[in-house]
Amino acid sequence: MAVKKIDADLLKRMFLSGAKNLELNKEWINELNVFPVPDGDTGTNMTMTIMSAAREVQGLESLTMETLAKAISSGSLRGARGNSGVILSQLLRGFTKEIKKVEEINGGVMAAAFQRAVETAYKAVMKPKEGTILTVAKGMAEKAAQLAEQTDDLEEMLRLIIEEGDLVLSKTPEMLPVLKEAGVVDSGGQGLMQALKGAYNCLIGKEVEMSFEEGAAPASSDSRQVPDTAEADIKFGYCTEFIINIEKHYDSGEEQKLKDYLESIGDSIVLVSDDDIVKIHVHTNDPGLAIQKALTYGSLSRIKIDNMREEHQEKLIKDAQRLAEEQKQAEQKQTEAPRKPYGFISVSIGEGMDAIFRDLGVDYLIAGGQTMNPSTEDMLNAISQVNAETIFILPNNKNIILAAQQAKTLTEDKEIIVVPTKTVPQGIAAVISFAPDRSPEENAEAMAEELEHVKTGQITYAVRNTFVDGKEIHEGDIMGIDDHTIAAVGSSIERTALDLMDTMVDDDSELITIYYGSDINEDEAQALYEKAQEKYSGCDMELHNGGQPIYYYIISVE
């Protein structure tokens, strides 16, 4: 039987089915990444992005096409992680901009929504590359426009759109040689196809198990590891969470009043305002007080109250209380001090790296990097903590730059400058080159120029067999990765590190800095340092304990 229209209820179920199908296939999608590094990869990033939106959708009490569109757009934008996640969020943002104006989707609306999704995503990427998720999305949008003039059956239309997407995806290796050499299709494009196939399965009546786990807490500064300690006395016994659907006057002044009230009845406060929706998290002994206060602003949804004492979560609560107290102290410090002209936010990847950034004057550190790409909301939370007119953000990873830029577009009360640092050494060099007597624009230009003089190498291990740039790589091999490719492969960490340095050091090199990771002891690092010092006697050498996970060494050559 032909499907001529999709209403809000059906679209909600289709979206959740698509999110679940992406989640079920995330590890397979991760395996499609060209470099066999042990990182949070494409499938993980896309899944965390869409699951952020899925939780917003599940919490809707008043379901209309407009409220559904807002939940999908807002949830995915703030939850976006990694380049693939940001692009997915932009596709969803464009799609929902088109559908929010209607009560039901027909073929014409479907085609227009696909087209707007592609236009929005392409605009968000400074240098769009073909052979990626963007190409797959564009191919499907073009097919949708063609089909809208031929059929009004949405089941047939979506089936043929997906067939076209699979066809374009199969051609991505011909567009990107690195995909062809590795024998894989584009992982982001495959992630998009899995989400669409899940939605289509729902449309044709295939049952999908729709269970969703609560998302992990956002990455935050100093949140890596907390040692086991004695059990804490729980001061406030009820973990209370809900969303306020704003229906009355609510501005920055009201937001502060609400936050002050919550602090008077509890702690571990998290308050995030997004247009006409406010997310609340508070630990309190009387959840009713928080709920009654919230009701003065509008209706509530997604109410969740947990008795923390009964659940024996003393350790987790102690951690949350510690972090909340640190956050509260930081907020008080920022509030009490006059707003300064400049501030810095940096993504960091280890205790040693954290200490270096702090010594250089960075105001706020976001734990993340390769092992877990911070989300746009992590960036927004960091921005709210830095009391400065102009804030420089150092992503220090090419897969985090888009999320930082997305946070910039969502910030109105501060000037945000995203310095496109792709590695931690680039971030360190950028901060060092900052001069307070220059204008923000002059500093941004100087920092960008400084990045061109920094080469970065990383030593890690392979998680699967593959073939990249003429090198056959086996699971467990030690890899030396430079700014462009896998430059050295071996079985010894030290030998591979020296081989990598051979490819990085040239006649213009003046300084070599070695940061050793959490899996390398000081004696091993010192041995590598001394061999490199003897080999490259014409260069100054530095050795630091970076404390980074996953990467045995990070090497900077300037």
Side-chain angles (χ1 to χ4, degrees):
M1 184 176 177
V3 179
K4 301 295 181 68
K5 61 185 181 182
I6 296 173
D7 61 14
D9 180 68
L10 177 54
L11 184 62
K12 174 185 175 180
R13 288 186 283 118
M14 290 174 64
F15 177 76
L16 293 176
S17 178
K20 189 62 181 179
N21 198 55
L22 177 54
E23 181 190 42
L24 292 172
N25 288 283
K26 68 179 180 182
E27 293 303 331
W28 172 52
I29 295 166
N30 283 341
E31 290 293 317
L32 296 176
N33 282 273
V34 174
F35 280 16
V37 289
D39 296 337
D41 282 328
T42 303
T44 300
N45 286 331
M46 295 183 76
T47 295
M48 296 186 76
T49 299
I50 204 167
M51 284 303 170
S52 175
R55 288 188 290 275
E56 293 281 340
V57 169
Q58 282 189 307
L60 286 173
E61 288 190 349
S62 173
L63 180 62
T64 65
M65 196 66 80
E66 184 175 5
T67 60
L68 177 60
K70 180 173 178 57
I72 293 173
S73 177
S74 175
S76 60
L77 283 173
R78 289 179 169 271
R81 295 176 186 268
N83 291 344
S84 55
V86 171
I87 293 173
L88 176 61
S89 74
Q90 290 295 327
L91 288 169
L92 292 171
R93 181 188 182 198
F95 189 92
T96 55
K97 277 184 178 180
E98 196 66 31
I99 65 167
K100 71 179 182 180
K101 303 178 293 185
V102 302
E103 293 184 2
E104 296 175 336
I105 298 173
N106 58 25
V109 173
M110 178 76 77
F114 266 84
Q115 183 58 41
R116 190 156 185 181
V118 170
E119 291 171 354
T120 303
Y122 267 87
K123 287 178 182 177
V125 181
M126 291 187 64
K127 295 180 180 180
K129 184 182 293 185
E130 298 305 328
T132 66
I133 182 176
L134 291 171
T135 309
V136 176
K138 181 172 68 174
M140 289 191 290
E142 292 171 352
K143 187 67 173 180
Q146 174 189 335
L147 291 169
E149 299 178 357
Q150 299 174 0
T151 180
D152 61 355
D153 182 353
L154 292 175
E155 183 276 324
E156 179 185 21
M157 186 175 179
L158 192 54
R159 175 175 58 80
L160 294 174
I161 288 172
I162 289 174
E163 286 183 5
E164 180 68 16
D166 279 338
L167 178 61
V168 176
L169 179 64
S170 70
K171 295 179 179 178
T172 55
E174 302 303 322
M175 304 176 202
L176 285 176
V178 67
L179 296 177
K180 186 173 185 178
E181 185 179 32
V184 296
V185 296
D186 178 67
S187 54
Q190 186 64 271
L192 178 62
M193 295 312 303
Q194 293 309 309
L196 278 173
K197 288 175 181 179
Y200 177 73
N201 285 341
C202 177
L203 180 65
I204 63 176
K206 286 187 179 180
E207 293 295 326
V208 178
E209 176 59 43
M210 302 299 290
S211 61
F212 295 89
E213 296 180 2
E214 286 296 316
S220 59
S221 72
D222 297 321
S223 63
R224 290 176 185 83
Q225 290 185 348
V226 180
D228 290 329
T229 57
E231 291 187 354
D233 293 328
I234 301 176
K235 185 177 180 182
F236 297 103
Y238 294 93
C239 176
T240 306
E241 299 177 60
F242 52 83
I243 288 177
I244 308 174
N245 303 297
I246 297 298
E247 297 165 357
K248 299 178 182 178
H249 176 69
Y250 184 85
D251 55 18
S252 58
E254 291 297 325
E255 178 180 332
Q256 189 58 49
K257 289 180 183 177
L258 177 57
K259 191 169 188 178
D260 290 343
Y261 178 78
L262 293 174
E263 288 178 340
S264 73
I265 63 169
D267 66 4
S268 299
I269 313 295
V270 177
L271 187 155
V272 179
S273 301
D274 180 20
D275 294 337
D276 55 356
I277 292 177
V278 180
K279 303 177 187 178
I280 300 291
H281 172 279
V282 57
H283 292 171
T284 178
N285 284 327
D286 193 339
L289 293 176
I291 290 171
Q292 289 173 23
K293 181 68 173 178
L295 284 169
T296 64
Y297 294 99
S299 59
L300 306 186
S301 62
R302 292 184 61 194
I303 299 174
K304 182 173 179 285
I305 301 173
D306 292 325
N307 186 323
M308 298 183 295
R309 295 188 180 97
E310 286 185 358
E311 294 177 356
H312 301 290
Q313 294 181 336
E314 284 88 349
K315 180 181 180 298
L316 294 177
I317 303 311
K318 184 178 179 66
D319 297 347
Q321 289 174 334
R322 177 183 63 79
L323 292 172
E325 183 61 29
E326 289 176 359
Q327 179 177 332
K328 184 176 179 180
Q329 290 174 359
E331 288 176 352
Q332 289 176 341
K333 184 178 180 181
Q334 294 288 352
T335 302
E336 293 167 0
R339 179 173 281 200
K340 57 185 181 179
Y342 296 110
F344 284 90
I345 295 169
S346 177
V347 177
S348 187
I349 56 174
E351 293 182 1
M353 297 296 192
D354 291 354
I356 292 170
F357 278 120
R358 288 197 189 94
D359 288 344
L360 292 173
V362 171
D363 300 275
Y364 195 98
L365 298 175
I366 302 176
Q370 287 290 78
T371 53
M372 177 55 72
N373 297 154
S375 68
T376 297
E377 187 156 18
D378 293 333
M379 296 286 180
L380 291 171
N381 290 338
I383 290 169
S384 71
Q385 296 301 309
V386 179
N387 189 17
E389 294 290 342
T390 300
I391 299 174
F392 294 91
I393 299 181
L394 308 171
N396 300 335
N397 186 300
K398 65 181 181 181
N399 210 32
I400 302 175
I401 294 174
L402 279 182
Q405 291 172 339
Q406 190 150 281
K408 173 182 177 179
T409 65
L410 296 173
T411 301
E412 297 179 352
D413 61 335
K414 299 170 183 176
E415 181 182 5
I416 305 299
I417 297 177
V418 179
V419 184
T421 53
K422 297 180 180 179
T423 65
V424 168
Q426 284 190 348
I428 292 171
V431 180
I432 292 174
S433 68
F434 173 80
D437 58 336
R438 291 195 294 241
S439 70
E441 294 75 20
E442 289 172 335
N443 267 307
E445 184 177 350
M447 289 179 186
E449 289 178 0
E450 185 64 27
L451 306 187
E452 298 178 5
H453 305 300
V454 181
K455 300 177 186 177
T456 302
Q458 301 174 97
I459 304 297
T460 188
Y461 57 93
V463 295
R464 60 181 175 272
N465 301 336
T466 190
F467 194 82
V468 179
D469 286 348
K471 293 181 176 65
E472 185 175 347
I473 299 168
H474 301 280
E475 181 179 349
D477 282 351
I478 304 301
M479 302 181 297
I481 306 170
D482 63 17
D483 291 316
H484 308 289
T485 188
I486 299 174
V489 179
S491 57
S492 161
I493 295 173
E494 181 182 275
R495 183 68 260 165
T496 305
L498 291 169
D499 289 343
L500 177 61
M501 280 187 264
D502 279 342
T503 70
M504 297 171 63
V505 178
D506 56 30
D507 293 340
D508 297 324
S509 302
E510 298 177 353
L511 172 64
I512 301 173
T513 306
I514 300 172
Y515 304 91
Y516 62 94
S518 58
D519 294 322
I520 297 293
N521 62 48
E522 186 176 356
D523 290 341
E524 291 170 324
Q526 185 65 35
L528 173 64
Y529 172 77
E530 291 174 358
K531 289 181 180 179
Q533 193 173 40
E534 180 180 354
K535 190 170 187 178
Y536 307 109
S537 56
C539 296
D540 292 330
M541 297 281 300
E542 292 184 6
L543 177 67
H544 298 282
N545 180 0
Q548 70 274 4
I550 306 297
Y551 290 83
Y552 302 117
Y553 292 104
I554 294 177
I555 301 165
S556 171
V557 177
E558 302 176 52

